[in-house]
Every structure is written in structure tokens, then in C-alpha cells.
Amino acid sequence: MNQAENIAYDLVMVTLSISLIVLGVILFLACKKKPVKSEETLPVKLCARAYPLMEIDAATDGFNHRRIVGQGRLGTVYAGTLEQVELVAVKRIHPVLVLSNAGFGFSSVLKWLSLAHHPNVVPIIGFSEAPGERVILMEFVRMASLQFYLHQNPDGVSLLDWNKRFRIAAGVARGLQYLHEVVAPNIVHGCVKSSNILIDVNFCARISDYGLNFLAPLEKRGLVGYVDDEYWNERGGGATKESDIYGLGVVLLELLSGRGCEGGLLSKWALPLIKEMSYSELLDPRLVIPSDMKPLIRLAKVASACVGNSRKCRPCVAQVVTILNNLETQVCL
């Protein structure tokens, strides 16, 4: 074998050796098992935590009346401080409702409801139960309810101009759509009304008290006017998605007119005005009527469809959201 043949042979052997080494590395990497994530590293949907009643008592200074921030048909809401840091809203259910629901699976329902997480929904973060006591802990929204802004605060009108009202209307609808169509199983709110819609520091609407109607299904106080007539029927009545849509329609009428629900009188007053296109009489007289009335007229027609039809003829929440999102974009740009 001459020198040229020796060089060629050496080159072939070197190339073959390098190829074998590269192939070996590739096979090693391909066959190497990837580490399996432990269950602790996998994302987990957290549900509400159970708190000892003593801890809730300490967080509210013994349910001190000075910490009361609201009262409603289901209970009294206190501003609580957990571990001296976290500010929470503590809803203490009325004792008479606790006694009437003594055998109900309170903790199971609260754990299910606490899986709801959406920008337009107030999250439930904990609960507590003891003999004669049922308590719900929610995120503390550092502003007042829509009812307060519209009907109780003298400065509320100047803060809630038409742009903000369109934004609130769309936000409420999106939150309700999330409860009706995204959470599994779906959640029927049961009492959609302005006092259950909180407005945060950015004037974003956030729905509270969803799914709690099981605590007082027949309690009319605070419910009349925000649910349809079918709600009170013994057969096929009660809280449904359709009754929620009715409540949404009433809230839209409140935003348009600035008037309170007044036990159902608002819808009876407003529907004929919408039908007769008497919008100047319908709209909140405390606000300047804009030059372009089309968005307000469209909003009024949506409200009319929600409250003026029977359950089977009402729009679903997805249809309402589509329209209100478009109106919000059109008005707030």
C-alpha cells in the first residue's frame, strides 16, 4: 500500500470513528428518559380553604359592628383581616338561614363555587362552618356596589358617565357568561341585581354572591323585581339561567334610567317607553344625552329583550355579551 492509499485509508477510518461517536451521542440523548413531573409540580385548581371559626372571629374583632361594610338578604358583610395582613370580605349568613339549611352540604357547594375565577367575578377564597354559623370569605373589592353609585351616592352620577356605564354593562354580562357557560358545572347566580355588582378602583364590574340562592330560595326580600314571574311558580320555577338574564336586563334598565328597581316597577315603567321610543324620558336625567343616541337605543332594546319576554324567548347570555362588547368598543374608543 503506497503513501496515498495510507492517507485515504486513515481519512476513512477517522470519518467512520467520528460518525460512530456522533451516532452514539444521538442515541444516548434520544433514549434518555425525561424526568416525570411530580404531582406537586403540576398546576392545581385551588378551591376555597376551610377556616376555623375562631380565626374568623379574630379577623373581624368578634364580628364587631364597626367592621360592617354591607348587609343583604343572606347576611352581614364585615371587613376582616387575616393574619394581620390580608383584607377580606367576611359574609356571616343570617342565623335563621343557617338553621333552615342545617343539613345542606355547605362546604361542598362553597368549594365548587370557589373554582370560579374571572376578571368580572369576585372570587370566594374560604369558608367556615360551626353549629349555628356559616361564613363565606371573599376577596375584598375596595369600592362600593353599583346600587350605591346609582342610587345612594350624590357624587356617583358624575363618576358613572355613559362610557363607564357601557363598560359596566359589558363587564356584568361577561361575568355572567363565564358562570353560565365556562365553569363546570355551570353556575346559576340566582339573584343578579345592582347590589351584587361591585365596582373596583378601575370601574370594572365584578359579580358577587353567585350560586348562594340555595340559602334562601323562597326569601322574597331583596329579590322581588330582579327575577321574573316564572321564578315563583311551583312547577318549572326557581332560579335558572333565564331568570339571571331577567335580572341582567333590570340592571341594564337601572344603568339607563338611574332609577332603582322598586320591586318590579322599573321594568313596568321602562318597557312602554322603549316600545314607544320615548328615550328622552327613559334616560337618566342627571346625565347629558349624547349626540349619538344609537348605542343607548341599542342598549335599551337589549334590556327590553331580557325583561320583556318569557323564559323560552329570552336571549342567551352569549348573545347579550356579543352586543354589549360591540357597544363598549364603539362608545369607549
Side-chain angles (χ1 to χ4, degrees), residues 118-121 146 165-179 189 192-194 196-199 204-208 244 247-249 251-252 255 317 320-321 324-325 328:
H118 187 272
N120 297 112
V121 169
L146 178 60
R165 295 191 192 198
F166 274 101
R167 183 182 180 191
I168 289 169
V172 174
R174 287 193 293 268
L176 196 59
Q177 182 184 31
Y178 173 81
L179 296 176
H189 188 292
V192 179
K193 59 180 183 177
S194 55
N196 283 338
I197 297 166
L198 304 183
I199 310 299
C204 174
R206 308 185 72 186
I207 301 174
S208 67
D244 280 355
L248 174 61
V251 170
L252 297 183
L255 287 167
V317 69
V320 176
V321 166
L324 297 188
N325 280 344
E328 179 188 20

Side-chain angles (χ1 to χ4, degrees), residues 12-213:
V12 170
M13 293 303 295
V14 170
T15 303
L16 182 60
S17 299
I18 293 173
S19 299
L20 289 172
I21 292 171
V22 171
L23 180 61
V25 171
I26 292 173
L27 289 173
F28 173 78
L29 293 175
C31 294
K32 186 180 179 181
K33 281 188 175 182
K34 293 183 179 180
V36 178
K37 288 185 178 181
S38 67
E39 289 186 2
E40 295 180 355
T41 63
L42 294 175
V44 177
K45 253 189 172 181
L46 297 176
C47 64
R49 172 188 160 189
Y51 286 83
L53 186 61
M54 290 182 62
E55 193 169 339
I56 305 301
D57 189 77
T60 58
D61 298 332
F63 295 104
N64 193 308
H65 71 277
R66 293 181 180 179
R67 285 183 170 266
I68 294 176
V69 293
Q71 293 180 325
R73 61 191 286 265
L74 299 181
T76 303
V77 181
Y78 300 80
T81 308
L82 289 177
E83 298 175 353
Q84 300 180 339
V85 177
E86 185 182 4
L87 190 63
V88 294
V90 180
K91 180 183 282 290
R92 189 185 195 186
I93 305 303
H94 293 312
V96 64
L97 298 180
V98 174
L99 292 174
S100 62
N101 290 276
F104 202 91
F106 179 79
S107 61
S108 299
V109 174
L110 266 294
K111 287 178 181 179
W112 159 50
L113 296 177
S114 70
L115 296 177
H117 292 279
H118 187 272
N120 297 112
V121 169
V122 178
I124 294 171
I125 58 179
F127 63 91
S128 181
E129 58 179 333
E133 289 284 1
R134 298 290 185 275
V135 178
I136 302 170
L137 277 68
M138 298 167 287
E139 181 182 297
F140 193 90
V141 178
R142 298 176 183 271
M143 290 294 270
S145 69
L146 178 60
Q147 180 189 46
F148 176 80
Y149 270 109
L150 287 176
H151 313 310
Q152 297 171 322
N153 182 16
D155 300 321
V157 176
S158 60
L159 293 172
L160 291 188
D161 57 22
W162 288 122
N163 284 16
K164 289 188 177 70
R165 295 191 192 198
F166 274 101
R167 183 182 180 191
I168 289 169
V172 174
R174 287 193 293 268
L176 196 59
Q177 182 184 31
Y178 173 81
L179 296 176
H180 280 193
E181 299 182 351
V182 179
V183 179
N186 298 158
I187 297 174
V188 172
H189 188 292
C191 187
V192 179
K193 59 180 183 177
S194 55
S195 61
N196 283 338
I197 297 166
L198 304 183
I199 310 299
D200 68 15
V201 292
N202 298 313
F203 289 95
C204 174
R206 308 185 72 186
I207 301 174
S208 67
D209 279 11
Y210 46 89
L212 300 180
N213 205 54

